[in-house]
Amino acid sequence: MANPFYARIVTAAEAAVAAWGYSLVLFNSDEKPDIERRILSRIRTLGCDGSVVVPVGPESHYQRRDFEGMPVVLLGRSIGDAGVDTVTIDNLSAGKQATNYLLDLGHRHIGSITGPMQLTTGSGRLQGMLEAMAARGLAPKTGHVRSGEFREDTAYSVARDLLGQPDRPTALYVANGVMAIGVMRAVADLGLRCPEDVSIASTDTIAGAGGLKPRLTRTEHPVTDMTNEALRMLVDRIEGKVAQPARNVVFQPALVVGESCSPLKLPAH
């Protein structure tokens, strides 16, 4: 819950469940799989009607029995063959859209601050970036892809190190909004300018990010629509309205152009 993105999900979820006559009970795993496992057990003992889960562990961490005993919908992240309904964003498209925008501006040395690779949001967005670059015969330089763990302070540290190098990338794709805040702080603390010295594009934004100068270019999640769909699917399962196998609904991100990217400036001869 330190990530304001999830505050937006909770706000939307509270409104949705109230409209259906249910109440919301909130648990926070803090991105820790061991805490999540205890929470899943606790939910079952409480006799909840159903649960919406944002999974935090690697696929190998889960077994089907983890989601048995009540209707479950996974939101935002997916788990292989979990056998439950899932609502996600097209992470591959998010990474491709942001990276293609940077490539269209002339950037060829593009780095990335990624999320954890054991999460589909982390691996999918990075894969989208790599595929966009590969389609133009390019690849990131060694050391230009760093994990920011979807955390602001970690992203700040790795971006400060990366952008402090003599061969720093001319542009960065940052895999979520919280990390983008950390990266922007690193740029400022290094005495660099965005977008004059480094262009930055991200996936997602967070409350308050609209006040950043320059405004971030990013791919946006339809957070309210995703949350409403997850709760609708869950209530359908709770009330026995559907009997078909697990469903997977994938929402498409949209590119929102701000002022944090500029065309590559070639050095004067």
Side-chain angles (χ1 to χ4, degrees):
M1 293 308 299
N3 184 341
F5 174 82
Y6 293 104
R8 294 165 64 194
I9 288 179
V10 171
T11 300
E14 283 183 325
V17 298
W20 278 302
Y22 292 87
S23 298
L24 185 69
V25 181
L26 177 66
F27 294 91
N28 177 29
S29 65
D30 195 31
E31 297 283 3
K32 296 180 173 62
D34 57 332
I35 295 177
E36 179 189 64
R37 187 169 290 282
R38 292 198 294 270
I39 289 172
L40 291 173
S41 176
R42 176 71 171 149
I43 289 172
R44 284 191 289 269
T45 63
L46 286 174
C48 295
D49 294 293
S51 62
V52 174
V53 178
V54 179
V56 301
E59 189 171 315
S60 60
H61 175 74
Y62 300 96
Q63 298 176 344
R64 280 199 172 219
R65 65 170 179 263
D66 292 326
F67 303 111
E68 291 175 347
M70 73 174 68
V72 174
V73 176
L74 303 183
L75 176 60
R77 301 167 182 171
S78 58
I79 301 168
D81 185 25
V84 296
D85 295 329
T86 304
V87 176
T88 60
I89 194 78
D90 188 337
N91 291 292
L92 198 73
S93 176
K96 281 184 177 181
Q97 286 187 52
T99 305
N100 278 325
Y101 183 75
L102 294 170
L103 289 165
D104 289 345
L105 291 174
H107 293 279
R108 295 298 178 263
H109 299 300
I110 301 174
S112 182
I113 309 299
T114 74
M117 288 300 101
Q118 75 268 22
L119 301 178
T120 53
T121 43
S123 60
R125 292 170 197 175
L126 176 60
Q127 186 63 29
M129 173 201 170
L130 296 176
E131 288 187 12
M133 294 186 72
R136 307 198 195 195
L138 301 169
K141 287 185 177 181
T142 301
H144 280 191
V145 174
R146 310 279 185 95
S147 175
E149 300 175 1
F150 282 156
R151 295 181 182 272
E152 180 182 344
D153 289 345
T154 305
Y156 170 85
S157 297
V158 297
R160 181 156 184 156
D161 180 65
L162 174 58
L163 296 175
Q165 302 295 324
D167 68 337
R168 68 173 182 259
T170 64
L172 282 178
Y173 167 55
V174 185
N176 82 348
V178 165
M179 293 195 301
I181 301 293
V183 171
M184 296 290 271
R185 285 200 294 119
V187 169
D189 287 354
L190 286 168
L192 300 174
R193 298 167 301 163
C194 175
E196 292 86 352
D197 298 311
V198 58
S199 290
I200 297 172
S202 73
T203 284
D204 184 41
T205 188
I206 59 172
L212 283 177
K213 300 297 180 186
R215 286 189 309 117
L216 275 172
T217 291
R218 73 271 182 193
T219 56
E220 282 275 23
H221 291 55
V223 175
T224 300
D225 290 345
M226 290 174 65
T227 305
N228 287 342
E229 179 66 11
L231 268 297
R232 184 192 66 78
M233 293 168 73
L234 184 64
V235 171
D236 281 351
R237 292 288 186 188
I238 291 171
E239 298 182 352
K241 295 179 181 177
V242 290
Q244 67 260 42
R247 301 159 293 174
N248 183 23
V249 177
V250 180
F251 282 79
Q252 291 299 315
L255 182 69
V256 178
V257 176
E259 294 93 34
S260 62
C261 303
S262 65
L264 177 66
K265 294 180 175 63
L266 297 175
H269 294 288

Tab-separated table of all heavy atoms in Angstrom, residues 29-61:
chain	number	residue	atom	x	y	z
A	29	SER	N	0.203	-7.094	1.671
A	29	SER	CA	1.333	-8.042	1.729
A	29	SER	C	2.681	-7.341	1.676
A	29	SER	O	3.711	-7.975	1.919
A	29	SER	CB	1.247	-9.013	0.546
A	29	SER	OG	1.422	-8.301	-0.667
A	30	ASP	N	2.693	-6.049	1.330
A	30	ASP	CA	3.942	-5.285	1.204
A	30	ASP	C	4.910	-5.962	0.235
A	30	ASP	O	6.129	-5.937	0.432
A	30	ASP	CB	4.603	-5.076	2.562
A	30	ASP	CG	5.686	-3.992	2.518
A	30	ASP	OD1	5.541	-3.046	1.713
A	30	ASP	OD2	6.676	-4.105	3.264
A	31	GLU	N	4.368	-6.600	-0.798
A	31	GLU	CA	5.167	-7.287	-1.829
A	31	GLU	C	6.006	-8.438	-1.258
A	31	GLU	O	7.022	-8.827	-1.842
A	31	GLU	CB	6.082	-6.301	-2.573
A	31	GLU	CG	5.359	-5.223	-3.343
A	31	GLU	CD	4.756	-5.693	-4.661
A	31	GLU	OE1	4.848	-6.898	-4.962
A	31	GLU	OE2	4.197	-4.859	-5.376
A	32	LYS	N	5.597	-9.010	-0.126
A	32	LYS	CA	6.355	-10.098	0.502
A	32	LYS	C	5.548	-11.406	0.403
A	32	LYS	O	4.480	-11.525	1.008
A	32	LYS	CB	6.672	-9.768	1.958
A	32	LYS	CG	7.594	-8.557	2.118
A	32	LYS	CD	7.868	-8.274	3.577
A	32	LYS	CE	8.915	-7.185	3.748
A	32	LYS	NZ	8.504	-5.893	3.177
A	33	PRO	N	6.073	-12.397	-0.356
A	33	PRO	CA	5.316	-13.639	-0.563
A	33	PRO	C	4.967	-14.379	0.719
A	33	PRO	O	3.897	-14.986	0.816
A	33	PRO	CB	6.259	-14.473	-1.438
A	33	PRO	CG	7.077	-13.472	-2.180
A	33	PRO	CD	7.291	-12.357	-1.186
A	34	ASP	N	5.841	-14.335	1.744
A	34	ASP	CA	5.533	-15.050	2.984
A	34	ASP	C	4.354	-14.412	3.712
A	34	ASP	O	3.508	-15.107	4.280
A	34	ASP	CB	6.769	-15.121	3.895
A	34	ASP	CG	7.338	-13.754	4.222
A	34	ASP	OD1	7.171	-12.817	3.409
A	34	ASP	OD2	7.963	-13.610	5.292
A	35	ILE	N	4.284	-13.088	3.688
A	35	ILE	CA	3.140	-12.393	4.292
A	35	ILE	C	1.877	-12.705	3.497
A	35	ILE	O	0.807	-12.938	4.058
A	35	ILE	CB	3.395	-10.878	4.357
A	35	ILE	CG1	4.562	-10.570	5.309
A	35	ILE	CG2	2.129	-10.133	4.801
A	35	ILE	CD1	4.922	-9.094	5.381
A	36	GLU	N	2.002	-12.720	2.183
A	36	GLU	CA	0.851	-13.023	1.329
A	36	GLU	C	0.283	-14.403	1.643
A	36	GLU	O	-0.943	-14.571	1.714
A	36	GLU	CB	1.253	-12.947	-0.138
A	36	GLU	CG	0.121	-13.277	-1.097
A	36	GLU	CD	0.617	-13.401	-2.522
A	36	GLU	OE1	1.423	-14.316	-2.803
A	36	GLU	OE2	0.198	-12.579	-3.349
A	37	ARG	N	1.154	-15.385	1.849
A	37	ARG	CA	0.673	-16.744	2.138
A	37	ARG	C	-0.126	-16.767	3.439
A	37	ARG	O	-1.171	-17.418	3.524
A	37	ARG	CB	1.859	-17.715	2.225
A	37	ARG	CG	1.417	-19.175	2.352
A	37	ARG	CD	2.570	-20.124	2.176
A	37	ARG	NE	3.058	-20.164	0.804
A	37	ARG	CZ	2.454	-20.822	-0.176
A	37	ARG	NH1	1.324	-21.493	0.059
A	37	ARG	NH2	2.949	-20.826	-1.386
A	38	ARG	N	0.342	-16.037	4.443
A	38	ARG	CA	-0.408	-15.964	5.711
A	38	ARG	C	-1.752	-15.270	5.506
A	38	ARG	O	-2.761	-15.657	6.104
A	38	ARG	CB	0.422	-15.240	6.772
A	38	ARG	CG	1.653	-16.017	7.229
A	38	ARG	CD	2.187	-15.501	8.542
A	38	ARG	NE	2.702	-14.137	8.442
A	38	ARG	CZ	3.965	-13.826	8.134
A	38	ARG	NH1	4.846	-14.791	7.862
A	38	ARG	NH2	4.359	-12.581	8.087
A	39	ILE	N	-1.755	-14.244	4.652
A	39	ILE	CA	-2.997	-13.522	4.386
A	39	ILE	C	-4.013	-14.433	3.698
A	39	ILE	O	-5.200	-14.453	4.059
A	39	ILE	CB	-2.727	-12.272	3.530
A	39	ILE	CG1	-1.994	-11.210	4.366
A	39	ILE	CG2	-4.029	-11.699	2.968
A	39	ILE	CD1	-1.507	-10.022	3.557
A	40	LEU	N	-3.573	-15.204	2.712
A	40	LEU	CA	-4.487	-16.097	1.997
A	40	LEU	C	-5.114	-17.103	2.958
A	40	LEU	O	-6.310	-17.418	2.866
A	40	LEU	CB	-3.752	-16.814	0.872
A	40	LEU	CG	-3.316	-15.937	-0.315
A	40	LEU	CD1	-2.452	-16.737	-1.287
A	40	LEU	CD2	-4.524	-15.363	-1.041
A	41	SER	N	-4.313	-17.596	3.905
A	41	SER	CA	-4.844	-18.519	4.905
A	41	SER	C	-5.836	-17.809	5.813
A	41	SER	O	-6.894	-18.353	6.163
A	41	SER	CB	-3.695	-19.106	5.729
A	41	SER	OG	-4.182	-19.932	6.758
A	42	ARG	N	-5.518	-16.584	6.199
A	42	ARG	CA	-6.389	-15.805	7.082
A	42	ARG	C	-7.730	-15.512	6.417
A	42	ARG	O	-8.787	-15.590	7.055
A	42	ARG	CB	-5.680	-14.491	7.438
A	42	ARG	CG	-6.486	-13.522	8.270
A	42	ARG	CD	-6.667	-14.005	9.675
A	42	ARG	NE	-7.269	-12.974	10.513
A	42	ARG	CZ	-8.048	-13.225	11.542
A	42	ARG	NH1	-8.324	-14.473	11.876
A	42	ARG	NH2	-8.550	-12.254	12.268
A	43	ILE	N	-7.707	-15.196	5.130
A	43	ILE	CA	-8.944	-14.905	4.406
A	43	ILE	C	-9.893	-16.097	4.457
A	43	ILE	O	-11.102	-15.948	4.648
A	43	ILE	CB	-8.631	-14.508	2.948
A	43	ILE	CG1	-7.984	-13.118	2.910
A	43	ILE	CG2	-9.888	-14.524	2.085
A	43	ILE	CD1	-7.469	-12.718	1.539
A	44	ARG	N	-9.339	-17.297	4.309
A	44	ARG	CA	-10.185	-18.495	4.340
A	44	ARG	C	-10.812	-18.701	5.720
A	44	ARG	O	-11.973	-19.073	5.836
A	44	ARG	CB	-9.368	-19.718	3.914
A	44	ARG	CG	-9.116	-19.791	2.414
A	44	ARG	CD	-8.553	-21.145	1.999
A	44	ARG	NE	-7.182	-21.318	2.455
A	44	ARG	CZ	-6.115	-20.974	1.737
A	44	ARG	NH1	-6.267	-20.441	0.537
A	44	ARG	NH2	-4.898	-21.159	2.202
A	45	THR	N	-10.046	-18.428	6.782
A	45	THR	CA	-10.588	-18.630	8.130
A	45	THR	C	-11.645	-17.592	8.474
A	45	THR	O	-12.505	-17.843	9.316
A	45	THR	CB	-9.465	-18.590	9.189
A	45	THR	OG1	-8.858	-17.298	9.204
A	45	THR	CG2	-8.410	-19.642	8.901
A	46	LEU	N	-11.585	-16.427	7.844
A	46	LEU	CA	-12.569	-15.382	8.114
A	46	LEU	C	-13.914	-15.662	7.451
A	46	LEU	O	-14.912	-15.019	7.775
A	46	LEU	CB	-12.046	-14.024	7.616
A	46	LEU	CG	-10.951	-13.362	8.450
A	46	LEU	CD1	-10.433	-12.106	7.742
A	46	LEU	CD2	-11.473	-13.000	9.838
A	47	GLY	N	-13.924	-16.602	6.519
A	47	GLY	CA	-15.167	-16.914	5.828
A	47	GLY	C	-15.600	-15.847	4.854
A	47	GLY	O	-16.800	-15.616	4.663
A	48	CYS	N	-14.636	-15.194	4.211
A	48	CYS	CA	-14.971	-14.178	3.203
A	48	CYS	C	-15.679	-14.826	2.020
A	48	CYS	O	-15.470	-15.998	1.718
A	48	CYS	CB	-13.701	-13.475	2.721
A	48	CYS	SG	-12.862	-12.498	4.000
A	49	ASP	N	-16.520	-14.064	1.353
A	49	ASP	CA	-17.251	-14.582	0.195
A	49	ASP	C	-16.331	-14.802	-0.998
A	49	ASP	O	-16.563	-15.694	-1.820
A	49	ASP	CB	-18.374	-13.615	-0.197
A	49	ASP	CG	-19.449	-13.539	0.880
A	49	ASP	OD1	-20.141	-14.554	1.087
A	49	ASP	OD2	-19.578	-12.478	1.511
A	50	GLY	N	-15.317	-13.981	-1.148
A	50	GLY	CA	-14.389	-14.081	-2.269
A	50	GLY	C	-13.259	-13.100	-2.076
A	50	GLY	O	-13.292	-12.265	-1.163
A	51	SER	N	-12.246	-13.183	-2.928
A	51	SER	CA	-11.105	-12.278	-2.776
A	51	SER	C	-10.533	-11.876	-4.129
A	51	SER	O	-10.548	-12.645	-5.089
A	51	SER	CB	-10.007	-12.926	-1.925
A	51	SER	OG	-9.511	-14.096	-2.542
A	52	VAL	N	-10.054	-10.635	-4.169
A	52	VAL	CA	-9.277	-10.119	-5.294
A	52	VAL	C	-7.831	-10.067	-4.826
A	52	VAL	O	-7.531	-9.447	-3.808
A	52	VAL	CB	-9.754	-8.724	-5.727
A	52	VAL	CG1	-8.826	-8.154	-6.807
A	52	VAL	CG2	-11.186	-8.783	-6.245
A	53	VAL	N	-6.947	-10.725	-5.553
A	53	VAL	CA	-5.551	-10.858	-5.124
A	53	VAL	C	-4.627	-10.228	-6.162
A	53	VAL	O	-4.751	-10.501	-7.362
A	53	VAL	CB	-5.169	-12.342	-4.936
A	53	VAL	CG1	-3.700	-12.476	-4.548
A	53	VAL	CG2	-6.067	-12.991	-3.885
A	54	VAL	N	-3.716	-9.373	-5.703
A	54	VAL	CA	-2.602	-8.906	-6.526
A	54	VAL	C	-1.410	-9.764	-6.123
A	54	VAL	O	-0.785	-9.523	-5.091
A	54	VAL	CB	-2.297	-7.416	-6.298
A	54	VAL	CG1	-1.116	-6.982	-7.171
A	54	VAL	CG2	-3.521	-6.557	-6.582
A	55	PRO	N	-1.091	-10.821	-6.883
A	55	PRO	CA	-0.041	-11.748	-6.449
A	55	PRO	C	1.331	-11.097	-6.443
A	55	PRO	O	1.650	-10.281	-7.311
A	55	PRO	CB	-0.120	-12.870	-7.494
A	55	PRO	CG	-0.760	-12.260	-8.684
A	55	PRO	CD	-1.693	-11.206	-8.178
A	56	VAL	N	2.156	-11.461	-5.462
A	56	VAL	CA	3.465	-10.822	-5.301
A	56	VAL	C	4.627	-11.789	-5.447
A	56	VAL	O	5.781	-11.371	-5.486
A	56	VAL	CB	3.563	-10.106	-3.934
A	56	VAL	CG1	2.473	-9.054	-3.805
A	56	VAL	CG2	3.480	-11.096	-2.777
A	57	GLY	N	4.347	-13.101	-5.518
A	57	GLY	CA	5.425	-14.076	-5.588
A	57	GLY	C	5.692	-14.558	-7.003
A	57	GLY	O	4.915	-14.294	-7.923
A	58	PRO	N	6.791	-15.279	-7.191
A	58	PRO	CA	7.049	-15.908	-8.478
A	58	PRO	C	6.045	-17.031	-8.719
A	58	PRO	O	5.420	-17.535	-7.778
A	58	PRO	CB	8.470	-16.468	-8.328
A	58	PRO	CG	8.623	-16.687	-6.853
A	58	PRO	CD	7.837	-15.601	-6.198
A	59	GLU	N	5.890	-17.427	-9.966
A	59	GLU	CA	4.912	-18.455	-10.315
A	59	GLU	C	5.131	-19.734	-9.521
A	59	GLU	O	4.174	-20.402	-9.112
A	59	GLU	CB	4.979	-18.732	-11.816
A	59	GLU	CG	3.879	-19.625	-12.336
A	59	GLU	CD	3.859	-19.686	-13.848
A	59	GLU	OE1	3.971	-18.628	-14.488
A	59	GLU	OE2	3.748	-20.811	-14.387
A	60	SER	N	6.396	-20.076	-9.273
A	60	SER	CA	6.716	-21.320	-8.557
A	60	SER	C	6.256	-21.288	-7.100
A	60	SER	O	6.207	-22.327	-6.436
A	60	SER	CB	8.225	-21.570	-8.613
A	60	SER	OG	8.938	-20.493	-8.008
A	61	HIS	N	5.917	-20.103	-6.597
A	61	HIS	CA	5.507	-19.943	-5.197
A	61	HIS	C	4.097	-20.479	-4.950
A	61	HIS	O	3.729	-20.781	-3.817
A	61	HIS	CB	5.577	-18.457	-4.840
A	61	HIS	CG	5.080	-18.104	-3.465
A	61	HIS	ND1	5.784	-18.368	-2.318
A	61	HIS	CD2	3.925	-17.501	-3.073
A	61	HIS	CE1	5.097	-17.937	-1.270
A	61	HIS	NE2	3.970	-17.413	-1.700
